[in-house]
C-alpha cells in the first residue's frame, strides 16, 4: 500500500475514504475500505511509517496459531 500511496494520500484515504470504480459502466462507489475518521493525522502517519518498515507479508518460519 505504501508503494502506491504517498503519506498525504494515505492519510486522506484512511480518514476520508476514496471512491473506487466498478463494472463495465465504470461507476464510482464508496469503496471497500472502512473509514477511520476518529484517528488523527499523526496516528495514521505512524501506521504508514510502520508499514514502510514492516511491510505485510509472510513471516519466515511462522506456522500460525496452534490449537
Amino acid at each position: 500500500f505504501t508503494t502506491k500511496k504517498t503519506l498525504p494520500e494515505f492519510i486522506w484515504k484512511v480518514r476520508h475514504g476514496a471512491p473506487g470504480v466498478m463494472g463495465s459502466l465504470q461507476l464510482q462507489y464508496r469503496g471497500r475500505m472502512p473509514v477511520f475518521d476518529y484517528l488523527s493525522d499523526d496516528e495514521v502517519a505512524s501506521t504508514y511509517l510502520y508499514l514502510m518498515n514492516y511491510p505485510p507479508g509472510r513471516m519466515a518460519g511462522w506456522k500460525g496459531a496452534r490449537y
Side-chain angles (χ1 to χ4, degrees):
F1 203 73
T2 56
T3 59
K4 297 179 183 177
K5 299 276 184 204
T6 64
L7 178 56
E9 291 171 333
F10 183 81
I11 291 171
W12 182 264
K13 183 171 179 75
V14 170
R15 296 199 63 222
H16 304 283
V21 179
M22 189 168 138
S24 59
L25 296 177
Q26 299 295 301
L27 299 174
Q28 284 194 350
Y29 68 106
R30 186 182 82 70
R32 296 181 299 220
M33 185 175 157
V35 173
F36 298 98
D37 57 349
Y38 53 86
L39 296 175
S40 70
D41 287 355
D42 289 339
E43 290 171 315
V44 178
S46 295
T47 304
Y48 184 87
L49 295 175
Y50 179 86
L51 289 171
M52 285 182 63
N53 288 307
Y54 305 100
R58 190 160 206 137
M59 293 170 41
W62 188 67
K63 306 253 191 273
R66 295 180 190 198
Y67 296 99

Coordinates of all heavy atoms in Angstrom, one line a residue:
F1 N 0.8 -1.2 0.0 CA 0.0 0.0 0.0 C 0.9 1.3 0.0 O 0.5 2.2 -0.6 CB -0.9 -0.1 1.2 CG -2.2 0.8 1.1 CD1 -3.2 0.4 0.3 CD2 -2.3 1.9 1.8 CE1 -4.3 1.1 0.2 CE2 -3.4 2.7 1.7 CZ -4.5 2.3 0.9
T2 N 2.0 1.2 0.7 CA 2.8 2.4 0.8 C 3.6 2.6 -0.4 O 4.1 3.7 -0.7 CB 3.8 2.3 2.0 OG1 4.6 1.1 1.9 CG2 3.1 2.2 3.3
T3 N 3.7 1.6 -1.3 CA 4.4 1.8 -2.6 C 3.5 2.5 -3.6 O 3.9 3.0 -4.6 CB 4.9 0.5 -3.2 OG1 3.8 -0.4 -3.3 CG2 5.9 -0.2 -2.3
K4 N 2.2 2.5 -3.3 CA 1.2 3.1 -4.3 C 0.7 4.4 -3.8 O 0.1 5.2 -4.6 CB 0.0 2.1 -4.4 CG 0.4 0.8 -5.1 CD -0.8 -0.1 -5.2 CE -0.4 -1.4 -5.8 NZ -1.5 -2.3 -5.9
K5 N 0.8 4.7 -2.5 CA 0.2 6.0 -2.0 C 1.3 6.8 -1.3 O 2.1 6.2 -0.6 CB -0.9 5.7 -1.0 CG -2.1 4.9 -1.5 CD -3.0 5.9 -2.1 CE -4.3 5.1 -2.6 NZ -4.9 5.8 -3.7
T6 N 1.3 8.1 -1.5 CA 2.2 9.0 -0.7 C 1.6 9.1 0.7 O 0.4 8.7 0.9 CB 2.3 10.4 -1.3 OG1 1.0 11.0 -1.3 CG2 2.8 10.3 -2.7
L7 N 2.3 9.7 1.6 CA 1.8 9.8 3.0 C 0.5 10.7 3.0 O -0.5 10.3 3.6 CB 2.9 10.4 3.9 CG 2.4 10.7 5.4 CD1 1.9 9.5 6.0 CD2 3.6 11.3 6.1
P8 N 0.5 11.8 2.4 CA -0.8 12.6 2.4 C -2.0 11.8 1.7 O -3.1 11.9 2.2 CB -0.5 13.9 1.6 CG 1.0 14.0 1.6 CD 1.5 12.6 1.7
E9 N -1.7 11.1 0.7 CA -2.8 10.3 0.0 C -3.3 9.2 1.0 O -4.5 8.9 1.1 CB -2.3 9.7 -1.3 CG -2.0 10.6 -2.4 CD -1.3 10.0 -3.6 OE1 -0.6 9.0 -3.4 OE2 -1.5 10.5 -4.7
F10 N -2.3 8.6 1.7 CA -2.7 7.5 2.6 C -3.5 8.1 3.8 O -4.6 7.5 4.1 CB -1.4 6.9 3.2 CG -1.6 5.8 4.1 CD1 -1.9 4.5 3.7 CD2 -1.5 6.0 5.5 CE1 -2.0 3.4 4.5 CE2 -1.7 4.9 6.4 CZ -2.0 3.6 5.9
I11 N -3.1 9.2 4.3 CA -3.9 9.8 5.4 C -5.3 10.2 4.9 O -6.3 9.9 5.6 CB -3.2 11.1 5.9 CG1 -1.9 10.7 6.7 CG2 -4.1 11.9 6.8 CD1 -1.0 11.9 7.0
W12 N -5.4 10.7 3.7 CA -6.7 11.1 3.2 C -7.6 9.8 3.0 O -8.8 9.8 3.4 CB -6.6 11.8 1.9 CG -8.0 12.2 1.3 CD1 -8.7 11.6 0.4 CD2 -8.7 13.4 1.7 NE1 -9.9 12.2 0.2 CE2 -9.9 13.3 1.0 CE3 -8.5 14.4 2.7 CZ2 -10.9 14.3 1.2 CZ3 -9.5 15.4 2.8 CH2 -10.7 15.3 2.1
K13 N -7.0 8.8 2.4 CA -7.8 7.6 2.2 C -8.3 6.9 3.5 O -9.4 6.5 3.6 CB -7.0 6.6 1.4 CG -7.8 5.3 1.1 CD -7.0 4.4 0.1 CE -7.7 3.2 -0.2 NZ -8.8 3.3 -1.1
V14 N -7.4 6.9 4.5 CA -7.8 6.3 5.8 C -8.8 7.1 6.5 O -9.8 6.6 7.0 CB -6.5 6.1 6.7 CG1 -6.9 5.7 8.1 CG2 -5.6 5.0 6.1
R15 N -8.7 8.4 6.5 CA -9.6 9.3 7.3 C -10.9 9.7 6.6 O -11.9 10.0 7.2 CB -8.8 10.5 7.8 CG -7.7 10.1 8.7 CD -7.2 11.3 9.6 NE -8.2 11.7 10.4 CZ -8.5 13.0 10.7 NH1 -7.7 13.9 10.1 NH2 -9.4 13.3 11.5
H16 N -10.8 9.7 5.2 CA -12.0 10.2 4.5 C -12.5 9.2 3.4 O -13.6 9.4 2.9 CB -11.6 11.5 3.8 CG -11.1 12.6 4.7 ND1 -12.0 13.3 5.5 CD2 -9.9 13.0 5.0 CE1 -11.2 14.1 6.2 NE2 -10.0 14.0 5.9
G17 N -11.7 8.2 3.1 CA -12.1 7.2 2.1 C -11.8 7.7 0.7 O -11.3 8.8 0.5
A18 N -11.9 6.8 -0.2 CA -11.6 7.2 -1.6 C -12.6 6.4 -2.5 O -12.8 5.2 -2.2 CB -10.2 6.8 -2.0
P19 N -13.1 7.0 -3.5 CA -14.0 6.3 -4.4 C -13.3 5.2 -5.2 O -12.2 5.4 -5.6 CB -14.7 7.4 -5.2 CG -13.7 8.5 -5.3 CD -13.0 8.4 -3.9
G20 N -14.0 4.2 -5.5 CA -13.5 3.2 -6.5 C -14.3 3.1 -7.7 O -15.4 3.7 -7.7
V21 N -13.9 2.5 -8.7 CA -14.6 2.4 -10.0 C -14.9 0.9 -10.2 O -14.1 0.0 -9.9 CB -13.8 2.9 -11.2 CG1 -14.6 2.7 -12.5 CG2 -13.4 4.3 -10.9
M22 N -16.2 0.6 -10.6 CA -16.6 -0.8 -10.6 C -17.5 -1.0 -11.9 O -18.3 -0.1 -12.3 CB -17.4 -1.1 -9.4 CG -17.8 -2.5 -9.2 SD -18.3 -2.7 -7.5 CE -19.7 -3.8 -7.8
G23 N -17.4 -2.2 -12.4 CA -18.3 -2.6 -13.5 C -17.9 -2.1 -14.9 O -17.0 -1.2 -15.0
S24 N -18.6 -2.6 -15.9 CA -18.3 -2.2 -17.2 C -18.7 -0.7 -17.5 O -18.2 -0.1 -18.4 CB -19.1 -3.1 -18.2 OG -20.5 -3.0 -18.0
L25 N -19.6 -0.2 -16.7 CA -20.0 1.2 -16.9 C -19.1 2.2 -16.2 O -19.3 3.4 -16.2 CB -21.5 1.4 -16.3 CG -22.6 0.7 -17.1 CD1 -23.9 0.9 -16.4 CD2 -22.6 1.1 -18.5
Q26 N -18.1 1.6 -15.4 CA -17.1 2.4 -14.7 C -17.8 3.4 -13.7 O -17.5 4.6 -13.7 CB -16.2 3.2 -15.7 CG -15.4 2.3 -16.6 CD -14.4 1.5 -15.8 OE1 -13.6 2.0 -15.2 NE2 -14.5 0.2 -15.9
L27 N -18.8 2.9 -13.0 CA -19.5 3.7 -12.0 C -18.6 3.8 -10.7 O -18.0 2.8 -10.3 CB -20.8 3.1 -11.7 CG -21.8 3.0 -12.8 CD1 -23.0 2.2 -12.4 CD2 -22.2 4.3 -13.4
Q28 N -18.6 5.0 -10.1 CA -17.9 5.2 -8.9 C -18.8 4.6 -7.7 O -20.0 4.8 -7.7 CB -17.6 6.6 -8.6 CG -16.4 7.1 -9.5 CD -15.9 8.4 -9.0 OE1 -16.5 9.1 -8.2 NE2 -14.8 8.8 -9.6
Y29 N -18.1 4.1 -6.7 CA -18.7 3.6 -5.5 C -17.8 4.0 -4.3 O -16.7 4.3 -4.5 CB -19.1 2.1 -5.5 CG -17.9 1.2 -5.5 CD1 -17.5 0.5 -4.4 CD2 -17.0 1.1 -6.6 CE1 -16.4 -0.3 -4.3 CE2 -15.9 0.3 -6.6 CZ -15.6 -0.4 -5.4 OH -14.5 -1.2 -5.4
R30 N -18.3 3.8 -3.1 CA -17.6 4.3 -1.9 C -16.3 3.5 -1.7 O -15.3 4.0 -1.2 CB -18.5 4.1 -0.7 CG -17.8 4.7 0.6 CD -18.7 4.5 1.8 NE -18.6 3.2 2.4 CZ -17.5 2.7 3.1 NH1 -16.4 3.4 3.1 NH2 -17.5 1.5 3.6
G31 N -16.2 2.3 -2.1 CA -15.0 1.5 -1.9 C -15.2 0.5 -0.8 O -16.2 0.6 0.0
R32 N -14.3 -0.4 -0.6 CA -14.4 -1.5 0.4 C -13.7 -1.2 1.7 O -14.0 -1.8 2.7 CB -13.9 -2.8 -0.2 CG -14.7 -3.2 -1.4 CD -14.1 -4.5 -1.9 NE -12.7 -4.3 -2.3 CZ -12.2 -4.8 -3.4 NH1 -12.9 -5.6 -4.2 NH2 -10.9 -4.6 -3.7
M33 N -12.8 -0.3 1.7 CA -12.0 0.0 2.9 C -12.8 0.9 3.9 O -13.5 1.8 3.5 CB -10.7 0.8 2.5 CG -9.8 1.0 3.7 SD -8.3 1.7 3.1 CE -7.7 2.5 4.6
P34 N -12.8 0.5 5.2 CA -13.6 1.3 6.1 C -12.9 2.6 6.3 O -11.7 2.8 6.1 CB -13.5 0.5 7.4 CG -12.3 -0.4 7.2 CD -12.2 -0.7 5.8
V35 N -13.6 3.6 6.8 CA -13.1 5.0 7.0 C -12.9 5.1 8.5 O -13.8 4.8 9.3 CB -14.1 6.0 6.5 CG1 -13.7 7.4 6.9 CG2 -14.2 5.9 5.0
F36 N -11.7 5.6 8.9 CA -11.4 5.8 10.3 C -11.3 7.3 10.6 O -10.2 7.8 10.9 CB -10.1 5.0 10.6 CG -10.1 3.6 10.4 CD1 -9.7 3.0 9.3 CD2 -10.7 2.7 11.4 CE1 -9.7 1.6 9.1 CE2 -10.8 1.4 11.2 CZ -10.3 0.8 10.0
D37 N -12.4 8.0 10.6 CA -12.4 9.4 10.8 C -12.0 9.9 12.2 O -11.7 11.0 12.4 CB -13.7 10.0 10.3 CG -14.9 9.5 11.1 OD1 -14.7 8.4 11.8 OD2 -16.0 10.0 10.9
Y38 N -12.0 8.9 13.1 CA -11.7 9.3 14.5 C -10.2 9.3 14.8 O -9.8 9.7 15.9 CB -12.4 8.3 15.5 CG -12.2 6.9 15.2 CD1 -11.1 6.2 15.7 CD2 -13.1 6.1 14.4 CE1 -10.8 4.9 15.4 CE2 -12.8 4.8 14.1 CZ -11.7 4.2 14.6 OH -11.5 2.9 14.4
L39 N -9.4 8.8 13.8 CA -8.0 8.8 14.0 C -7.4 10.1 13.6 O -7.9 10.8 12.7 CB -7.3 7.7 13.2 CG -7.6 6.3 13.5 CD1 -7.0 5.3 12.5 CD2 -7.2 5.9 14.9
S40 N -6.3 10.5 14.3 CA -5.7 11.8 14.0 C -4.7 11.6 12.8 O -4.3 10.4 12.5 CB -4.9 12.4 15.2 OG -3.8 11.5 15.4
D41 N -4.3 12.7 12.1 CA -3.3 12.5 11.1 C -2.0 11.9 11.6 O -1.4 11.1 10.9 CB -3.0 13.9 10.5 CG -4.2 14.5 9.6 OD1 -5.2 13.7 9.4 OD2 -4.1 15.6 9.2
D42 N -1.6 12.3 12.8 CA -0.4 11.7 13.4 C -0.5 10.2 13.6 O 0.5 9.5 13.4 CB 0.0 12.4 14.7 CG 0.4 13.8 14.5 OD1 0.9 14.2 13.4 OD2 0.4 14.6 15.5
E43 N -1.6 9.7 14.0 CA -1.8 8.3 14.2 C -1.8 7.5 12.9 O -1.2 6.5 12.8 CB -3.2 8.0 14.9 CG -3.2 8.5 16.4 CD -4.6 8.4 17.0 OE1 -5.6 8.8 16.3 OE2 -4.7 7.9 18.1
V44 N -2.4 8.1 11.9 CA -2.4 7.5 10.6 C -1.0 7.5 10.0 O -0.5 6.5 9.4 CB -3.4 8.1 9.6 CG1 -3.3 7.5 8.2 CG2 -4.8 8.0 10.2
A45 N -0.3 8.6 10.2 CA 1.1 8.7 9.7 C 2.0 7.7 10.4 O 2.9 7.1 9.8 CB 1.7 10.1 9.9
S46 N 1.8 7.4 11.7 CA 2.6 6.4 12.4 C 2.3 5.1 11.8 O 3.3 4.3 11.7 CB 2.2 6.4 13.9 OG 2.5 7.6 14.5
T47 N 1.1 4.8 11.4 CA 0.8 3.5 10.8 C 1.5 3.4 9.5 O 2.0 2.3 9.1 CB -0.7 3.4 10.6 OG1 -1.4 3.5 11.9 CG2 -1.1 2.0 10.0
Y48 N 1.5 4.4 8.7 CA 2.2 4.5 7.4 C 3.7 4.1 7.6 O 4.2 3.3 6.8 CB 2.0 5.8 6.7 CG 2.6 6.0 5.3 CD1 1.8 5.6 4.2 CD2 3.8 6.5 5.1 CE1 2.3 5.7 2.9 CE2 4.3 6.6 3.8 CZ 3.5 6.3 2.8 OH 4.0 6.4 1.5
L49 N 4.3 4.8 8.5 CA 5.7 4.6 8.8 C 6.0 3.1 9.2 O 7.0 2.5 8.8 CB 6.3 5.6 9.8 CG 6.3 7.0 9.3 CD1 6.7 7.9 10.5 CD2 7.2 7.2 8.1
Y50 N 5.1 2.6 10.0 CA 5.2 1.2 10.5 C 5.1 0.3 9.3 O 5.9 -0.7 9.2 CB 4.1 0.9 11.5 CG 4.2 -0.6 12.0 CD1 5.0 -0.9 13.0 CD2 3.4 -1.5 11.3 CE1 5.0 -2.2 13.4 CE2 3.5 -2.9 11.7 CZ 4.3 -3.2 12.8 OH 4.4 -4.5 13.2
L51 N 4.2 0.5 8.4 CA 4.0 -0.4 7.2 C 5.2 -0.3 6.3 O 5.5 -1.2 5.6 CB 2.7 0.0 6.5 CG 1.4 -0.4 7.2 CD1 0.2 0.2 6.5 CD2 1.3 -1.9 7.3
M52 N 5.8 0.9 6.2 CA 7.0 1.0 5.4 C 8.2 0.2 6.0 O 8.9 -0.4 5.2 CB 7.4 2.5 5.3 CG 6.6 3.3 4.4 SD 7.1 5.0 4.2 CE 8.7 4.8 3.5
N53 N 8.3 0.2 7.3 CA 9.4 -0.5 7.9 C 9.1 -2.0 8.1 O 10.0 -2.8 8.1 CB 9.7 0.1 9.3 CG 10.4 1.4 9.2 OD1 11.4 1.6 8.5 ND2 9.8 2.4 9.8
Y54 N 7.9 -2.4 8.2 CA 7.5 -3.8 8.4 C 6.3 -4.1 7.4 O 5.2 -4.2 7.9 CB 7.0 -4.0 9.8 CG 8.1 -3.6 10.9 CD1 8.0 -2.4 11.6 CD2 9.1 -4.4 11.1 CE1 8.9 -2.0 12.5 CE2 10.1 -4.1 12.1 CZ 10.0 -2.9 12.7 OH 10.9 -2.5 13.6
P55 N 6.6 -4.2 6.1 CA 5.6 -4.4 5.2 C 4.9 -5.8 5.4 O 5.5 -6.7 5.9 CB 6.3 -4.4 3.8 CG 7.7 -4.6 4.1 CD 7.9 -4.1 5.5
P56 N 3.6 -5.8 5.1 CA 2.9 -7.1 5.3 C 3.4 -8.2 4.4 O 3.9 -7.9 3.3 CB 1.4 -6.8 4.9 CG 1.4 -5.4 4.6 CD 2.7 -4.8 4.6
G57 N 3.4 -9.4 4.9 CA 3.9 -10.5 4.1 C 4.1 -11.7 4.9 O 3.8 -11.7 6.1
R58 N 4.5 -12.7 4.3 CA 4.7 -14.0 5.1 C 5.9 -13.9 5.9 O 7.0 -13.6 5.5 CB 4.8 -15.1 4.1 CG 4.7 -16.4 4.7 CD 4.4 -17.5 3.7 NE 3.8 -18.5 4.5 CZ 2.7 -19.1 4.1 NH1 2.1 -18.8 3.0 NH2 2.2 -20.1 4.9
M59 N 5.8 -14.2 7.2 CA 6.9 -14.2 8.1 C 7.6 -15.5 8.0 O 7.0 -16.6 8.1 CB 6.4 -14.0 9.5 CG 5.8 -12.6 9.7 SD 5.0 -12.3 11.3 CE 5.9 -13.1 12.5
A60 N 8.9 -15.5 7.8 CA 9.7 -16.7 7.7 C 9.6 -17.5 9.0 O 9.8 -17.0 10.1 CB 11.2 -16.3 7.4
G61 N 9.4 -18.8 8.8 CA 9.3 -19.7 10.0 C 8.0 -19.6 10.8 O 7.9 -20.4 11.7
W62 N 7.1 -18.7 10.5 CA 5.9 -18.6 11.2 C 4.9 -19.7 10.8 O 4.6 -19.8 9.6 CB 5.3 -17.2 11.1 CG 4.2 -16.9 12.0 CD1 4.2 -16.8 13.3 CD2 2.8 -16.7 11.6 NE1 3.0 -16.6 13.9 CE2 2.1 -16.5 12.8 CE3 2.1 -16.7 10.4 CZ2 0.7 -16.3 12.8 CZ3 0.8 -16.5 10.4 CH2 0.1 -16.3 11.6
K63 N 4.4 -20.4 11.7 CA 3.5 -21.5 11.4 C 2.0 -21.2 11.7 O 1.1 -22.0 11.5 CB 3.9 -22.7 12.2 CG 5.3 -23.1 12.0 CD 5.4 -24.4 11.2 CE 6.8 -24.9 11.2 NZ 7.7 -24.4 10.2
G64 N 1.8 -20.0 12.2 CA 0.4 -19.6 12.6 C 0.0 -20.1 13.9 O 0.8 -20.6 14.7
A65 N -1.3 -19.9 14.3 CA -1.8 -20.3 15.6 C -1.8 -21.8 15.7 O -2.1 -22.5 14.8 CB -3.1 -19.7 15.8
R66 N -1.5 -22.2 16.9 CA -1.5 -23.7 17.2 C -2.6 -23.9 18.3 O -2.6 -23.3 19.3 CB -0.2 -24.2 17.7 CG 0.9 -24.0 16.7 CD 2.2 -24.5 17.2 NE 3.2 -24.2 16.2 CZ 4.4 -24.7 16.2 NH1 4.7 -25.6 17.1 NH2 5.3 -24.4 15.3
Y67 N -3.4 -24.8 18.0 CA -4.5 -25.2 18.9 C -4.3 -26.5 19.5 O -3.9 -27.4 18.9 CB -5.9 -25.1 18.2 CG -6.2 -23.7 17.8 CD1 -6.0 -23.3 16.4 CD2 -6.7 -22.7 18.6 CE1 -6.2 -22.0 16.0 CE2 -6.9 -21.4 18.2 CZ -6.7 -21.1 16.9 OH -7.0 -19.8 16.5

